[in-house]
Amino acid sequence: MNHTLERWNTTKSTDTYGVDEWSGGYFHIADNGDLMVMPAPGKKKRAVSIKEIVEGIRERGLDMPVLLRIENILDSQIAALNNCFTHAMEVLHYQGKFMGAYPIKVNQQQQVIEAITHFGSRYHHGLEAGSKAELVAAMGMLTDKNALLICNGYKDQEFIDLGLYASKIGYKCILVVEMPSELPLIIQRSRALGATPLLGIRIKLAAQAGGHWGESGGERSIFGLNTTQMIEAVDLLSREGMLDCLQMVHYHLGSQISNIREIRTAVNEACRVYAGLAMEGANVQYLDLGGGLAVDYDGSQSNFLSSRNYTLNEYCTDIIEAVMTSLDEVNIPHPTIITESGRALVAYYSMLIFNVLDVTRFQPEPLPEILPDTCPAQIRNMYDSLQELSIRNMQECFNDIIYYRDEVRQMFNHGKISLRERSLAEKIFWTTINEVARLAGELKHVAPEIADIERVLSDIYYCNFSVFQSLPDAWAIDQLFPVMPIHRLNEKPTRKGIIADITCDCDGKIDRFIDRKEVKRFLPLHELKNGEEYYLGTFLVGAYQETLGDLHNLLGDTNVVTVRVLENGEYEFVGELEGDSVADILSYVEYDPKNLIVRFRKTAEKAVRNGNITPQERREIMQAYEMGLRGYTYFER
Ligand SMILES: *Cc1c(COP(=O)(O)O)cnc(C)c1O
């Protein structure tokens, strides 16, 4: 039996990569070792091998990396959110209803908005726009007049006018007052355009959530009205005879709220405000809780930043109960509950697939039998220390080897030892470190610096993608995403590695991985096989990653492929977007590709005149240059 197949099976891979914990039911490992995507959780018959899709993509001529979207997952997530709220409302005898609005900023791509409005229409799932451009997109895409069109964000006259026109056409467009100064302008423009606006007020909550994005709540939050400003708004609307228009209370606590307690506290406070406005005579009917529904990226089900300590059902139930408790007390009818969940709707539906280009290992190299006579004492000491290494003196040897290694470096810098001698010292060093790691593996408890050797010795897998372009949150805010191979999962992953991208930037890497308890510093991976691609995937990347990415090292948008899985388990390609070419990228930074060709041709012609190249060679070189401009910005096989 092949040694890597020994005592390994797909169940162990499922466990190693935590698939059942983070996958939301959308992924599982097949017996042949392929990772399968399963748009209807639990329906294994309707599952497709991701590797098969990837091979299909390559056969059609698109290269890695590719952002792969599974359209039906979006459908399933929209259904899950709406059904869960509706079901919980029935169970709890809630008198109002639920309506969702997808916040465009979470993934603005037309394909995404199109799919959401399409799948969402049976629930009247609406859209939330936070800027003029988003509103323009929303008005173009939303056709369901029963769905909500919620306008947040700082509004100028143009923004307000667009919203009012949307109302006139018949959209349920709600202008949310984010700043006190917006209200007089909205009133003035409504009069001018003869429109009756639907108004909401964004409130500042005292309750503040922790985490990266929690700043949106709290007294110091940038947007929203404080209590005094709310009262002033009510008085103004009342003077203008428009208090009827004020129908919604809105807040947004921040994204990825891991702790259910913070969600509950905020709902409570918002209900008090809602009740207060009702008592002031406002015609409130909608309570909009914004986003915040978190994704369990690491599968730990905890209040860790990349997780959440609640299920979707608990989220819905807790919100409904909190609203009922607050409002029943003061006899105020139950509002329509709105959430603007973005992350939770779209995260699952995209994955980034890339191939591994190369691996660096930190392995011992063969050492000489005896050291040369001229060998400096420090190197000799290192060698002796290695010979004597055992479990009992492991710590001492480890300390010695580091001490001598530093000394050898010093001597090298002072010109006292040669390059060849330094190389010998380094070989001894890595041999010793590997040996210490092996011995430490036999012990239950080891010192932290020795335990850390495992990380230091992990391989570097060079992968064909850019963290900056495709996983900006992994770089900017240390967001964790599940990463794993998409095939060979019936083989034991015998290596431990970290992932480096092709930007050659020391930040262009993934060296923190999901774990049930903490953050893992390396990922179990397979050895590369000669002549065979090794594909990895980063999952749950559908939210926020696509447009926050940047052009670091001029690596552009990746190819994007959208797949729909059919009832019979087959699948079809429903969308293909070619990624940026080199010419595209260069024009983003203001180059004119045609002008570049002209300039380079002059340089090449000069070389012909100087006799460096023949005219024939000039032609070949120019062809290569122009091909380069048309090519993909990533590594092409
Ligand atoms: C960003 C944002 C959202 C989306 O939040 P998620 O946590 O991604 O669901 C919703 N509403 C507003 C006002 C936002 O700014």
Side-chain angles (χ1 to χ4, degrees), residues 103 105-106 128 152 202 250 252 254-256 290-293 340-344 544:
K105 74 152 192 269
V106 181
E128 184 268 352
N152 290 317
R202 179 156 179 171
H250 174 272
H252 172 63
S255 195
Q256 185 67 11
L293 174 57
E340 299 168 353
S341 279
R343 181 187 297 277
Y544 297 104

Side-chain angles (χ1 to χ4, degrees), residues 178-465:
E178 305 246 6
M179 306 286 285
S181 57
E182 285 171 359
L183 193 54
L185 188 57
I186 294 175
I187 294 173
Q188 184 207 329
R189 293 310 299 162
S190 306
R191 294 260 146 83
L193 302 182
T196 312
L198 274 180
L199 298 179
I201 285 191
R202 179 156 179 171
I203 58 173
K204 273 190 178 153
L205 294 178
Q208 185 156 8
H212 287 306
W213 301 275
E215 298 294 311
S216 300
E219 308 272 18
R220 285 275 306 154
S221 66
I222 300 168
F223 285 122
L225 272 56
N226 63 28
T227 334
T228 308
Q229 292 164 333
M230 263 185 264
I231 295 294
E232 283 165 5
V234 166
D235 290 344
L236 174 59
L237 285 169
S238 169
R239 278 199 305 277
E240 301 282 340
M242 285 175 72
L243 198 48
D244 254 14
C245 300
L246 179 53
Q247 300 198 354
M248 182 205 264
V249 169
H250 174 272
Y251 69 88
H252 172 63
L253 204 52
S255 195
Q256 185 67 11
I257 309 294
S258 306
N259 195 341
I260 187 80
R261 195 163 354 124
E262 290 168 351
I263 291 170
R264 232 181 297 144
T265 310
V267 174
N268 244 323
E269 192 182 337
C271 284
R272 298 289 172 212
V273 174
Y274 183 91
L277 288 172
M279 290 170 198
E280 288 284 336
N283 181 21
V284 281
Q285 316 189 9
Y286 299 102
L287 178 63
D288 181 348
L289 319 180
L293 174 57
V295 166
D296 193 0
Y297 291 97
D298 64 17
S300 66
Q301 296 175 18
S302 65
N303 61 2
F304 196 59
L305 233 44
S306 45
S307 185
R308 67 178 194 197
N309 66 358
Y310 52 89
T311 62
L312 178 58
N313 190 43
E314 282 161 349
Y315 175 79
C316 300
T317 305
D318 278 27
I319 287 173
I320 296 165
E321 280 179 349
V323 173
M324 290 174 79
T325 311
S326 299
L327 297 184
D328 287 351
E329 242 174 59
V330 284
N331 271 322
I332 287 177
H334 298 163
T336 296
I337 293 178
I338 298 163
T339 71
E340 299 168 353
S341 279
R343 181 187 297 277
L345 280 196
V346 295
Y348 291 90
Y349 127 99
S350 305
M351 60 194 105
L352 180 75
I353 309 290
F354 47 85
N355 48 345
V356 176
L357 301 174
D358 217 337
V359 180
T360 298
R361 289 187 176 182
F362 297 87
Q363 270 185 327
E365 310 263 348
L367 295 176
E369 290 285 316
I370 38 164
L371 295 180
D373 288 345
T374 53
C375 191
Q378 284 79 358
I379 299 181
R380 203 165 283 284
N381 289 342
M382 288 172 86
Y383 195 75
D384 291 345
S385 158
L386 172 62
Q387 305 305 321
E388 285 157 21
L389 175 61
S390 70
I391 271 203
R392 293 178 57 194
N393 66 4
M394 187 173 75
Q395 180 77 47
E396 190 187 334
C397 282
F398 178 74
N399 297 344
D400 285 352
I401 201 83
I402 289 192
Y403 174 82
Y404 288 126
R405 193 258 329 247
D406 292 346
E407 204 160 311
V408 166
R409 282 184 180 170
Q410 286 289 328
M411 291 167 69
F412 177 75
N413 290 346
H414 290 113
K416 297 211 179 94
I417 65 167
S418 70
L419 193 59
R420 197 167 282 275
E421 284 165 338
R422 180 172 164 178
S423 150
L424 175 59
E426 269 164 24
K427 279 189 206 165
I428 301 171
F429 176 78
W430 286 111
T431 308
T432 310
I433 293 292
N434 268 280
E435 194 53 22
V436 170
R438 194 186 62 77
L439 292 172
E442 296 173 16
L443 294 177
K444 263 219 180 89
H445 299 289
V446 290
E449 67 269 26
I450 290 186
D452 195 41
I453 292 179
E454 213 176 11
R455 180 178 66 82
V456 178
L457 286 179
S458 59
D459 302 341
I460 301 177
Y461 278 64
Y462 295 90
C463 297
N464 194 12
F465 77 109

Side-chain angles (χ1 to χ4, degrees), residues 115-128:
I116 286 179
T117 48
H118 174 65
F119 295 127
S121 63
R122 70 198 134 123
Y123 304 103
H124 305 306
H125 207 98
L127 294 173
E128 184 268 352

Side-chain angles (χ1 to χ4, degrees), residues 23-34:
S23 70
Y26 293 120
F27 299 92
H28 80 99
I29 301 175
D31 293 340
N32 72 352
D34 283 3

